[in-house]
Amino acid sequence: MSSVLRRCEVLKRLGISKSTLQRWVEAGHFPRPMQIGPRAVAWPESDLTVFLANRQRTGGVE
């Protein structure tokens, strides 16, 4: 199983705010998180890797 990243780690790695992440998810620019608890979400680390590779290739998200 691949590792998962909690929201705080995703925010730190991307260097963005919580509201920016939410906006990207709602717009379909970033993968939806999976629910890992009643008040906790996470993303597979592979999703972040793919996102960053695509972002580097295309030059941005918005």
Side-chain angles (χ1 to χ4, degrees), residues 16-60:
I16 60 173
S17 68
K18 185 177 175 181
S19 61
T20 297
L21 179 61
Q22 185 63 35
R23 194 170 57 248
W24 287 2
V25 168
E26 289 174 2
H29 296 300
F30 196 77
R32 290 209 170 272
M34 59 182 170
Q35 199 76 37
I36 60 171
R39 295 176 49 187
V41 296
W43 287 261
E45 190 168 17
S46 58
D47 283 0
L48 184 63
T49 301
V50 169
F51 172 80
L52 290 172
N54 288 339
R55 186 175 180 194
Q56 186 175 34
R57 185 174 45 80
T58 62

